[in-house]
Amino acid sequence: LRLDQVIREINASQAADLPALPITVRSGVCLVEDPGQDITILQDHARLASQNPTPDHSRLCAFYDDSLTDRLRLEQELNTLFDSSLERGDFLIYLQPKISLQDNRLAGAEALVRWLSPSRGLVPPDRFISLFEKSDRIVMLDRYMFGQVCRWYRNYLDGGGRPLSIAVNVSKVGLLRKDFIQYYSETKRCFGIPDGYLELEFTEGVLLNDTDMFSDIVRQLQSNGFTCSLDDFGSGYSSLNLLKNLPIDVLKLDIMFFHKSRDMGRERIVISNFIHMAKEL
């Protein structure tokens, strides 16, 4: 594309004796199918295209199509429905069981959120999680779900259920709130959940560049009776140095490690050594 070539030529023309400062420009293109269409609408369509990533991330130019408008309309609708759905309790807990491979025993569960909207039916998580992560709605949803998990757990224990480890996901936005530790700890105490059975699950993306801050948060959570896990390990910028410095309790390998590979022998070596190292840590 000509627009991509323009950016490459700009970056290639920098003086050799100056620090490299590459310029990244995202371009949106709207093809004119109706010459009589209002120019402002065409501009809005091109701008909308520029704000959405292309399937091929190496390309800097994105083309508009009607699906972008449909997606924007859906996002606006879901954002509008959020508050009333939270008040009605339309966000539900689904418990995904964890089974021990050693003895085929139920070893715990992970709490997953599902949205059963009266107007849209069952909304898949991939439709609303990433959307709400763009705003404070994800914090409100995180805290609502944690409260619901604690309420369910209290009723479960009061009904004679044996203690199980229940994992709950935490977003990056929620982790960075000043009252994060206080809110989760007080909610746990309010419902009388015993120590060691609530697991807070973080993904690599929450670590940012400040592992010291994250390590401090983990230690405070552990002192308040939480177990802390690192989810999707290996999906991003994982390193052995990360494991060395983080005092986490549980390491969850990303599913990519278990996809069929060309060399099963090498795959087994990598996975078995991760398991061995995790046990020693």
Side-chain angles (χ1 to χ4, degrees), residues 101-122:
L101 296 179
Q102 282 73 28
D103 53 16
N104 204 35
R105 180 180 57 86
L106 179 66
E110 178 177 354
L112 306 176
V113 58
R114 294 293 183 267
W115 187 1
L116 186 59
S117 168
S119 60
R120 293 201 60 89
L122 191 63

Side-chain angles (χ1 to χ4, degrees), residues 203-204 230-236 238 251-259 267 270-271 274:
T203 60
E204 283 186 300
L230 184 61
D231 195 10
D232 296 337
F233 184 80
S235 62
S238 305
L251 181 67
K252 298 181 67 178
L253 298 183
D254 186 74
I255 195 172
M256 62 171 286
F257 285 107
F258 303 95
H259 286 164
E267 178 182 291
V270 171
I271 294 174
F274 264 130

Side-chain angles (χ1 to χ4, degrees), residues 7 15 19 21 24 42 45 53 63 77 99 107 119 183 196 208 240 245 247 253 261 266 271 274:
I7 302 306
L21 296 172
T24 301
L42 295 174
H45 287 174
F63 283 83
E77 180 183 353
I99 305 299
S119 60
Y183 178 85
L208 301 176
L240 299 181
N245 294 324
L253 298 183
S261 64
R266 295 177 68 89
I271 294 174
F274 264 130

Side-chain angles (χ1 to χ4, degrees), residues 98-215:
K98 296 180 180 180
I99 305 299
S100 171
L101 296 179
Q102 282 73 28
D103 53 16
N104 204 35
R105 180 180 57 86
L106 179 66
E110 178 177 354
L112 306 176
V113 58
R114 294 293 183 267
W115 187 1
L116 186 59
S117 168
S119 60
R120 293 201 60 89
L122 191 63
V123 184
D126 59 355
R127 289 284 182 89
F128 63 87
I129 294 294
S130 59
L131 172 63
F132 294 157
E133 285 177 338
K134 300 175 184 177
S135 67
D136 287 345
R137 291 184 179 88
I138 193 63
V139 180
M140 298 169 64
L141 181 59
D142 273 356
R143 296 188 175 191
Y144 171 82
M145 290 302 297
F146 182 70
Q148 292 297 100
V149 168
C150 288
R151 180 174 288 106
W152 175 88
Y153 208 153
R154 183 68 266 160
N155 292 333
Y156 168 77
L157 293 175
D158 290 345
R162 66 179 179 86
L164 291 170
S165 172
I166 304 294
V168 184
N169 289 287
V170 177
S171 67
K172 177 171 64 177
V173 181
L175 176 69
L176 297 177
R177 287 296 182 92
K178 291 183 178 179
D179 64 339
F180 169 73
I181 296 174
Q182 177 185 0
Y183 178 85
Y184 278 76
S185 299
E186 288 184 356
T187 302
K188 173 179 169 294
R189 282 195 293 270
C190 177
F191 284 96
I193 309 300
D195 290 351
Y197 291 105
L198 282 178
E199 176 184 321
L200 296 184
E201 212 169 82
F202 306 95
T203 60
E204 283 186 300
V206 306
L207 303 182
L208 301 176
N209 294 319
D210 195 342
T211 55
D212 289 338
M213 180 199 73
F214 183 73
S215 295

Side-chain angles (χ1 to χ4, degrees), residues 43-62:
Q43 289 174 328
D44 287 342
H45 287 174
R47 187 178 301 109
L48 181 60
S50 73
Q51 295 169 353
N52 287 270
T54 58
D56 179 3
H57 296 287
S58 65
R59 298 187 71 91
L60 302 175
C61 185

